[in-house]
Amino acid sequence: MSSELLFQQALNGLSFGALLFILAAGLSLVFGMMDVVNLAHGAFYMLGAYVALSVVQLTGSFWVAMLAAPLALGLLGLILEPLLLRRLRGRHLDQVLLTIGVSLIVVDQIGVVWGREVRSLAAPAGLDGSVALFGGDYPAYRLFVIGLGIALAAVVTLVYRRTALGMHIRAGVEDAQMLGALASWPRRCSAFSRAWTSTRSSIPWSSSWSAASARSAGRWWAASSSVRPTPSARCCSRSSLSR
Amino acid sequence: MRRVLLWASATIGAATLVTFPYWTAEWESSRFATTVLRDILVFAIFALSLDLLVGRAGMPSLGHAAFFGAGAYAAGVATQRLGTDQLPLTLGAAAFVAAALALLIGTLVVRSEGIFFLMLTLAFAQIVFAIAFQWTSVTGGSNGLAGIARPFLGGIDLNPPERMYVLVSATFLAVVLLLRAVAGSPYGRVLVGIRENERRMRALGYDTARIRLSAFVLAGSIAGIAGALSAYSLRFVSAQDVGIGTSIRAFVMVLVGGAGTLAGPVIGAAVVLYVERILSSAVPVAETVLGLLFVAFVLLARQGIVGIGGAAWARMRR
Amino acid sequence: MAGFGKNELAARRGYSYRLTRRQFLIASSAAALAACGPAAVAPTASGSPSASPGKTLKIGQLLPFTGVYAELGNSMRRATELYLKLNDNKLANRPVQLIYEDDANVTATGIQKTQKFIDQDQVDVMMGVVPTPLAYGIRNAVHAAKMSASFSSYQISYPIGDYLSAKGTKDFFLAYANYGFGTESAADFTTGIKKNGGSVTGNVAPPLGNADFAPFVTQIKNQPTKNVYSFFSGADAIGFIKTWNQLGLTAAGYKLYGAGFLTEQDVLKEVKDLANGIVTSLFWAVELDNAENKKFVADYQKQYPLLPDVFAVQQYDGMRALDEALKKLGGDTSDKDKFSKALEDVSFKSPRGDFAFDKTTHNPIQDIYIREVKTQGGQTVNTISDKVAKVTDPGK
């Protein structure tokens, strides 16, 4: 294997890895902080892509969709968490079953609303070209995804370690009851982190500008995928980096 | 007296079930009803085996289709490749292969619990799926195994649909009796004990990991038998039989019908197959209906249809 | 599944294994026609009570309306309805009743719905059957007469291999989806180029439904063979073509060839001019210049706001074949053997050119077109650059 090939494949791996990181970060946040196992994460990811697709068709702007998709999914999280998940606190098995149900509904309804053919979106102007790097050109969009992954990691770490909010979240993970006794935080906090994580899950879709494809996202995959980032990326992001 | 009456009605019920295609032979849709009922019973066996884990032993497996598929493939391969068509051999092969696979996977997963058990079983089932999909020379890969011949029992050809149905329904009754016996036995009680409080059972001297493993293997081999019956019924096996979709369907059946009961998984199988096979002809969103069932039963009726029915019965008697 | 043709057990039961493996390799599509009768149950059953002229002809359409092939099912449904609309909702003077069932791309469901067609609806004819495993799965249930209005992997991939190597392009690198039909296509293409002294220098085989094509395309870019033959369809095709362009393979002098699905409408409408220059082979293209096709495309577009695709053509031809066979019998479907024979003998001018069935394989004998993607007047289309006449499947 030549050094150029090695370098290019490393970049391929990094950019795909960054996408998976963005996806997995949301999942682990909900599990780690709220103790909720969300098997509908992959379905939300897919939904984010379709919202982005519609926003682009309406406004023609990648960057508007980049804001709109996370907000829309965040809103959905804010509605679903108190409605469905709050009463299942600590009951992992029930959470799993419930979120499988949610993912079945979401995926099927996406097919009804957006149709079942394969869709895709182009990278925005400025990111659709290539950048000259050691060993040849490399797509700018993939580099952008790497950058976004690193930026998100930095922001999350900062919020988690350095801010009052992060402190409360950490405290909540340690002992939610105690935190509740000390202040009225946890409720708001968990709703917040729920919304936040559900927002997060939609970022890769919108950011990757990717193909929204109910057709490709095998229905059952969408259910299984969310637990395991790799296959979820497999079903949903097949296009995310390539488009 | 009451006991005798109960036994008599159960026997009559069983006989009615097994002879269904014969006493409905005059109906216009007898044949279609027979195949639908046959498939319901196949899945009822599968769901019952999962319920032994979920409802009885508290082991929520999301990879149970691995054993269903292993049984189906074993029966198919035994018939097509090894050239045997005797039911005891092919069905035995299915039960054995499924049990061996369950022993292998079970050894690795029985020490984990709850959500971790769930994820591990799911992961192992996905591995089995990948093998089934890729190992083209044995499993037919993405094309599956088609044209599986139905077996003989001695000199009796089980190919005609009504005989196939009798085989399925008789096996179903045998499985129900077996699981009923297990539930009532000391072994069944130990399983429930482990589900409720594993540490106490360990303190009492039970080798809980081993007992859980034995339940896992038993459930796996019954699932394998269901898989073999499915292979005979449809004359077809594909990787979809091993996939997560099949595992989830079995779980919906247990959940909707009611876990921890004998009637629950059977009712659940009927409901799910009704939605998938019959309702889907009329409504294009069967998947959404299944999803809504999931959500509704988790939130509102965790005990399933049997639970709702039992509660209503209790209220009526008051 | 080598060897099930000589399955003795099956022979003992009298199952028909006359049909060969290849003709049922119908990748993402088939407009298979099957004269229905519960053959596996009672081969002599004379079918449904409605099987006589003048009465309603019941056609069961087994198509995927949900799942991976959903769009394909919709397309075939549109073609069916178009054909009937243009023929006053009658075939051979019999009013037609269509019954649609969704197989959801789950074989077990498809088998069950086939059973429903036969036992419950008592249809005279069954059509559809898209996924390959399903075609395998239902063949015990339907009467032996099955006609495929589609294609085999051989018919698509062998002729272009033969054609290209005869023209002097001999060395190829292969890229194909790693599943049944993809692997078969690669093998058939290889046979084609080897016939004229060509060779395969290497291959990549991403799994079906691959997530990221960059590693595979990077591998192609780092090997010297400039001509690449591929088999991908649907979402995989879109991902592959986009990545191919992102990583600048065209600019680096690489040329992409493929089986026609690589550049069918579902793919072209998403990748547009990124596909320019790709050379593929298929038995039809929107741009095909013949009277039947012009009329078909115009009729289709009058009825629906989109271009027809290859699956619509197959279904349209399937309906036409059924129509022709029925006309010959005066609309009488009661004798299944006569009906099968009539179907076998059908021949007519189809949008794809001359259409007839091969008597032994029941696959169509058809011209295969070599097509190149070009953007003309703002539309990206498959232009016809050549044709390989009368390709039949050897039916091994």
Side-chain angles (χ1 to χ4, degrees):
Chain A
M1 202 187 260
S2 72
S3 59
E4 283 128 67
L5 178 61
L6 204 65
F7 180 68
Q8 279 172 5
Q9 294 292 36
L11 278 182
N12 288 339
L14 258 181
S15 49
F16 195 56
L19 182 78
L20 295 185
F21 164 74
I22 298 170
L23 176 61
L27 185 70
S28 71
L29 214 63
V30 209
F31 184 50
M33 300 193 180
M34 296 177 59
D35 198 27
V36 165
V37 188
N38 179 19
L39 266 80
H41 196 68
F44 287 162
Y45 173 66
M46 189 166 137
L47 184 59
Y50 277 96
V51 170
L53 181 84
S54 288
V55 173
V56 168
Q57 281 169 347
L58 279 177
T59 67
S61 165
F62 172 88
W63 305 106
V64 173
M66 178 93 172
L67 277 176
L71 284 178
L73 269 283
L75 196 65
L76 184 71
L78 268 177
I79 295 168
L80 289 186
E81 197 270 339
L83 202 64
L84 301 179
L85 282 165
R86 191 165 292 168
R87 58 180 90 181
L88 298 182
R89 185 151 307 193
R91 287 154 60 186
H92 283 155
L93 180 59
D94 288 358
Q95 292 167 357
V96 166
L97 297 176
L98 183 103
T99 50
I100 287 179
V102 169
S103 80
L104 289 179
I105 298 170
V106 169
V107 174
D108 201 34
Q109 288 302 309
I110 286 176
V112 171
V113 174
W114 277 278
R116 296 179 201 267
E117 71 264 50
V118 188
R119 308 297 296 272
S120 85
L121 288 164
L127 292 178
D128 52 357
S130 304
V131 178
L133 283 176
F134 167 76
D137 294 344
Y138 200 76
Y141 184 73
R142 294 185 78 103
L143 295 174
F144 168 73
V145 173
I146 298 179
L148 195 72
I150 295 171
L152 258 172
V155 169
V156 171
T157 313
L158 274 180
V159 168
Y160 191 63
R161 299 219 175 279
R162 304 262 178 230
T163 65
L165 176 67
M167 193 178 74
H168 277 102
I169 293 174
R170 275 180 287 151
V173 176
E174 283 300 319
D175 194 335
Q177 266 186 340
M178 188 51 127
L179 186 66
L182 291 174
S184 61
W185 262 82
R187 243 185 187 208
R188 253 195 298 162
C189 208
S190 79
F192 173 81
S193 84
R194 171 74 198 165
W196 158 247
T197 45
S198 133
T199 303
R200 284 285 295 282
S201 74
S202 75
I203 287 180
W205 256 130
S206 54
S207 72
S208 59
W209 213 229
S210 69
S213 133
R215 187 176 152 174
S216 56
R219 296 164 298 164
W220 300 113
W221 265 125
S224 74
S225 58
S226 44
V227 249
R228 299 176 311 145
T230 315
S232 93
R234 164 174 296 184
C235 76
C236 305
S237 73
R238 57 172 62 220
S239 36
S240 52
L241 284 166
S242 54
R243 297 164 196 219
Chain B
M1 184 60 207
R2 214 181 137 172
R3 215 180 140 78
V4 174
L5 220 62
L6 215 63
W7 269 107
S9 55
T11 313
I12 293 171
T16 315
L17 182 72
V18 174
T19 55
F20 178 84
Y22 297 99
W23 55 263
T24 61
E26 295 302 307
W27 298 9
E28 200 190 334
S29 43
S30 163
R31 206 141 70 190
F32 183 58
T34 304
T35 53
V36 172
L37 193 57
R38 180 196 70 199
D39 290 359
I40 288 176
L41 292 179
V42 169
F43 271 96
I45 296 173
F46 182 37
L48 277 168
S49 75
L50 178 62
D51 187 55
L52 176 67
L53 296 180
V54 177
R56 198 67 56 186
M59 299 158 77
S61 166
L62 205 50
H64 208 49
F67 313 117
F68 181 82
Y73 276 118
V77 170
T79 313
Q80 287 197 334
R81 299 286 155 71
L82 309 180
T84 172
D85 59 359
Q86 282 302 322
L87 179 74
L89 283 175
T90 55
L91 201 61
F96 177 77
V97 170
L101 186 67
L103 184 65
L104 180 73
I105 294 178
T107 311
L108 300 167
V109 302
V110 287
R111 273 165 220 283
S112 59
E113 272 180 69
I115 189 73
F116 299 101
F117 181 81
L118 190 115
M119 292 300 152
L120 277 175
T121 47
L122 171 61
F124 279 110
Q126 287 304 107
I127 295 174
V128 176
F129 173 81
I131 293 171
F133 196 79
Q134 296 292 338
W135 197 9
T136 311
S137 60
V138 171
T139 63
S142 57
N143 288 336
L145 287 179
I148 294 166
R150 287 181 181 159
F152 277 80
L153 181 59
I156 309 167
D157 187 350
L158 295 172
N159 186 37
E162 50 297 342
R163 289 191 199 157
M164 188 65 225
Y165 171 85
V166 171
L167 169 67
V168 170
S169 54
T171 314
F172 166 75
L173 290 174
V175 167
V176 168
L177 287 178
L178 171 72
L179 290 177
R180 194 167 170 274
V182 167
S185 70
Y187 172 72
R189 282 157 219 267
V190 171
L191 279 182
V192 174
I194 293 175
R195 179 187 74 197
E196 293 301 323
N197 193 338
E198 189 185 349
R199 269 159 86 182
R200 177 172 295 174
M201 294 307 280
R202 222 175 10 228
L204 287 174
Y206 289 103
D207 185 347
T208 56
R210 199 136 149 207
I211 293 168
R212 280 162 64 99
L213 179 62
S214 68
F216 198 77
V217 172
L218 177 62
S221 64
I222 295 175
I225 289 173
L229 292 176
S230 159
Y232 301 145
S233 299
L234 301 175
R235 296 209 182 104
F236 186 80
V237 189
S238 79
Q240 279 164 342
D241 291 338
V242 199
I244 168 120
T246 308
S247 293
I248 290 181
R249 278 164 81 207
F251 223 115
V252 191
M253 291 168 191
V254 171
L255 178 74
V256 168
T261 61
L262 279 177
V266 182
I267 295 171
V271 170
V272 170
L273 282 196
Y274 173 78
V275 170
E276 281 186 348
R277 301 268 164 92
I278 303 192
L279 193 65
S280 70
S281 297
V283 192
V285 287
E287 204 90 313
T288 303
V289 174
L290 280 186
L292 287 173
L293 278 178
F294 243 120
V295 173
F297 277 93
V298 170
L299 285 181
L300 307 173
R302 193 62 183 76
Q303 298 312 308
I305 293 173
V306 169
I308 298 174
W313 177 241
R315 220 171 304 136
M316 259 166 55
R317 292 187 45 152
R318 244 196 332 235
Chain C
M1 284 199 292
F4 77 42
K6 11 179 173 42
N7 190 327
E8 283 169 26
L9 289 171
R12 217 163 89 202
R13 304 284 152 79
Y15 298 160
S16 166
Y17 280 97
R18 192 164 61 91
L19 301 172
T20 60
R21 167 165 198 204
R22 277 174 178 281
Q23 76 194 99
F24 268 119
L25 287 174
I26 26 190
S28 48
S29 83
L33 272 171
C36 269
V41 185
T44 50
S46 66
S48 62
S50 62
S52 58
K55 283 193 182 160
T56 302
L57 179 78
K58 279 192 187 173
I59 305 179
Q61 298 269 4
L62 185 61
L63 297 171
F65 295 117
T66 51
V68 191
Y69 294 135
E71 259 323 287
L72 218 141
N74 289 331
S75 175
M76 291 167 84
R77 182 177 187 150
R78 285 192 282 264
T80 312
E81 274 153 21
L82 175 67
Y83 189 89
L84 285 177
K85 194 175 156 78
L86 295 174
N87 289 281
D88 298 326
N89 203 34
K90 277 182 183 165
L91 295 182
N93 217 20
R94 282 178 69 173
V96 171
Q97 184 195 351
L98 290 170
I99 304 166
Y100 291 100
E101 284 293 347
D102 177 14
D103 66 49
N105 193 31
V106 175
T107 311
T109 308
I111 294 174
Q112 179 68 51
K113 300 262 158 136
T114 305
Q115 211 66 52
K116 173 179 174 285
F117 278 149
I118 296 170
D119 293 338
Q120 183 84 347
D121 302 326
Q122 308 198 332
V123 299
D124 300 291
V125 180
M126 192 176 133
M127 292 181 77
V129 187
V130 171
T132 315
L134 182 54
Y136 281 125
I138 66 164
R139 55 185 195 175
N140 293 122
V142 295
H143 199 268
K146 295 193 205 81
M147 313 300 292
S148 163
S150 60
F151 51 85
S152 63
S153 68
Y154 178 90
Q155 281 185 311
I156 308 288
S157 290
Y158 173 82
I160 188 177
D162 184 10
Y163 174 88
L164 291 171
S165 55
K167 294 249 161 175
T169 315
K170 294 197 186 292
D171 294 334
F172 283 88
F173 190 83
L174 303 183
Y176 55 90
N178 193 3
Y179 76 114
F181 201 83
T183 322
E184 306 256 338
S185 295
D188 288 326
F189 178 79
T190 308
T191 317
I193 57 169
K194 280 194 175 151
K195 198 181 145 203
N196 302 310
S199 67
V200 170
T201 59
N203 71 70
V204 286
L208 186 65
N210 183 38
D212 183 10
F213 281 93
F216 300 100
V217 176
T218 301
Q219 223 173 310
I220 297 174
K221 201 182 176 184
N222 281 275
Q223 57 81 42
T225 309
K226 297 285 182 192
N227 294 302
V228 179
Y229 183 79
S230 63
F231 181 91
F232 295 108
S233 63
D236 279 348
I238 295 176
F240 185 69
I241 293 174
K242 287 205 160 190
T243 310
W244 177 278
N245 279 278
Q246 274 188 347
L247 295 181
L249 267 84
T250 309
Y254 288 84
K255 181 145 177 77
L256 186 53
Y257 300 84
F261 311 97
L262 185 66
T263 59
E264 265 310 293
Q265 261 69 297
D266 59 331
V267 178
L268 284 187
K269 84 178 168 43
E270 297 298 324
V271 300
K272 305 211 169 62
D273 54 0
L274 292 180
N276 280 350
I278 300 178
V279 173
T280 61
S281 59
L282 201 63
F283 52 83
W284 178 80
V286 182
E287 308 305 309
L288 204 55
D289 191 12
N290 67 49
E292 282 72 22
N293 192 44
K294 288 228 155 89
K295 181 175 178 314
F296 169 68
V297 174
D299 286 342
Y300 194 94
Q301 283 192 290
K302 210 187 307 170
Q303 193 76 18
Y304 310 107
L306 70 172
L307 283 170
D309 57 20
V310 63
F311 310 111
V313 176
Q314 284 172 36
Q315 184 74 356
Y316 193 81
D317 282 349
M319 290 297 286
R320 176 77 187 273
L322 175 62
D323 197 3
E324 298 290 330
L326 284 172
K327 275 179 187 147
K328 226 179 300 176
L329 298 172
D332 184 2
T333 53
S334 54
D335 186 335
K336 299 298 174 198
D337 290 333
K338 258 195 199 155
F339 185 33
S340 314
K341 184 78 179 58
L343 265 174
E344 266 185 12
D345 291 338
V346 159
S347 78
F348 54 89
K349 290 243 181 249
S350 129
R352 60 176 102 168
D354 291 330
F355 186 99
F357 289 112
D358 183 321
K359 304 264 184 309
T360 45
T361 67
H362 286 189
N363 242 9
I365 302 169
Q366 52 195 345
D367 298 339
I368 297 294
Y369 301 95
I370 308 293
R371 323 175 310 169
E372 182 172 359
V373 179
K374 282 182 185 156
T375 302
Q376 298 171 331
Q379 277 220 313
T380 306
V381 295
N382 288 296
T383 60
I384 308 290
S385 56
D386 211 340
K387 89 170 178 185
V388 182
K390 302 253 177 292
V391 178
T392 51
D393 187 284
K396 315 184 261 209

